[in-house]
Amino acid sequence: MIKIEAIPTFQDNYVWAIHNGHVAILVDPGEARPILAWLRERNLSAAAILVTHHHHDHVGGIADILKAVSIPVYGPARGAAQSIAVSEGESLDFAEFGLNFRVMHTPGHTLDHVCYLASDNQDSGLHLFCGDTLFSCGCGRLFEGTPAEMYDSLTRLAQLPEQTQVYCAHEYTLANIAFALEVEPENPDLIARHAEALELRKQGKATLPVSIGRECRTNPFLRCDLRAPIEAASQHFNKPLRPGADTFAAIRAWKDEE
């Protein structure tokens, strides 16, 4: 049976460990010490590493992990020096897990950012490991890509089956909800998500994963073709905005004011 667990690192990062009780696939291991300790405590060994993008808090632990165990590292060309480069549409099969990971190129946060969409042979649903492209009720900053590129990337993710489980790389949910409520203060789904996230964090639990369907109902960056976000962004910037990428760019700029 496959389990997916979060390993907290740094201040708010999550490294996702996908394991079968014996071996684990690690997603975006930014620092080695907590990851290696987590594996030892559970008598697990690492089998592979998946990298979404090259930022240090996602790749900084790889070298030390590889000193402890020789395993393959998959990622974009700039992901890490040891990476086996992956690209859009590529399929990674891990027979020992019964899992297949489809690579999705999602530029915006960085130009070569990728996500991994996992499915299994038990038809138990889809699992999206999206790095810093999509956050719960938010999205990554645009360090390299354009608003149009990020909007297209997020639109692709929003079109996944609504029960797809989303595993983001940061615990930003409450801060993102605070902003989302500025955009849509009367969104009942967002208000309910806020109450749930507050309770989860009060209990010391992660607010993730979350379904892509719920994100489409609560995340302003996935709602840029709807009346309420368009009107809110237009009013904030005191100018008319077109649905889609135009509204996305405005909402992203609005969030960047914080």
Side-chain angles (χ1 to χ4, degrees):
M1 183 175 178
I2 299 299
K3 293 185 69 176
I4 303 173
E5 299 187 63
I7 306 174
T9 62
F10 299 115
Q11 182 177 347
D12 50 37
N13 283 67
Y14 289 138
V15 174
W16 293 103
I18 308 148
H19 69 88
N20 58 10
H22 304 287
V23 291
I25 300 168
L26 304 170
V27 183
D28 284 350
E31 59 174 339
R33 184 177 297 178
I35 297 167
L36 294 173
W38 189 92
L39 292 169
R40 283 194 300 270
E41 289 168 3
R42 291 157 179 78
N43 294 314
L44 297 172
S45 58
I49 291 171
L50 303 180
V51 174
T52 63
H53 64 292
H54 66 275
H55 287 167
H56 182 75
D57 63 321
H58 294 254
V59 303
I62 292 176
D64 285 340
I65 292 172
L66 293 182
K67 291 176 184 177
V69 58
S70 179
I71 56 175
V73 180
Y74 300 92
R78 285 191 296 163
Q82 306 90 347
S83 290
I84 300 168
V86 298
S87 57
E88 166 68 31
E90 189 171 347
S91 180
L92 304 176
D93 288 302
F94 294 91
E96 65 269 45
F97 296 89
L99 290 175
N100 171 272
F101 291 80
R102 178 163 64 90
V103 179
M104 300 179 70
H105 180 217
T106 54
H109 182 65
T110 64
L111 288 175
D112 55 357
H113 195 296
V114 299
C115 298
Y116 299 91
L117 184 64
S119 58
D120 62 42
N121 52 24
Q122 302 300 316
D123 195 29
S124 62
L126 298 173
H127 306 271
L128 177 70
F129 300 90
C130 53
D132 287 359
T133 293
L134 175 65
F135 298 129
S136 185
C137 298
C139 73
R141 289 182 179 272
L142 307 185
F143 287 110
E144 296 177 359
T146 65
E149 287 173 321
M150 182 62 116
Y151 176 74
D152 287 345
S153 294
L154 292 172
T155 298
R156 288 187 67 200
L157 300 185
Q159 292 169 348
L160 292 170
E162 69 172 17
Q163 292 306 314
T164 301
Q165 295 297 295
V166 177
Y167 300 81
C168 319
H170 291 272
E171 182 57 73
Y172 288 163
T173 306
L174 284 176
N176 287 338
I177 290 173
F179 172 74
L181 285 168
E182 294 185 46
V183 180
E184 289 192 275
E186 298 180 2
N187 180 335
D189 292 302
L190 183 57
I191 292 167
R193 174 63 166 148
H194 189 206
E196 177 193 73
L198 282 170
E199 183 60 28
L200 287 169
R201 296 309 291 155
K202 182 179 178 180
Q203 297 174 19
K205 297 179 180 179
T207 60
L208 305 165
V210 62
S211 72
I212 196 70
R214 196 166 193 190
E215 284 302 299
C216 288
R217 295 189 295 273
T218 58
N219 190 326
F221 296 106
L222 302 185
R223 297 170 59 79
C224 296
D225 58 344
L226 299 179
R227 181 181 59 81
I230 295 169
E231 289 182 355
S234 296
Q235 183 175 0
H236 182 78
F237 288 103
N238 194 30
K239 66 176 183 179
L241 295 168
R242 295 184 300 275
D246 193 32
T247 294
F248 170 82
I251 295 177
R252 183 63 258 182
W254 184 0
K255 179 72 163 62
D256 289 342
E257 294 172 4
E258 296 185 341

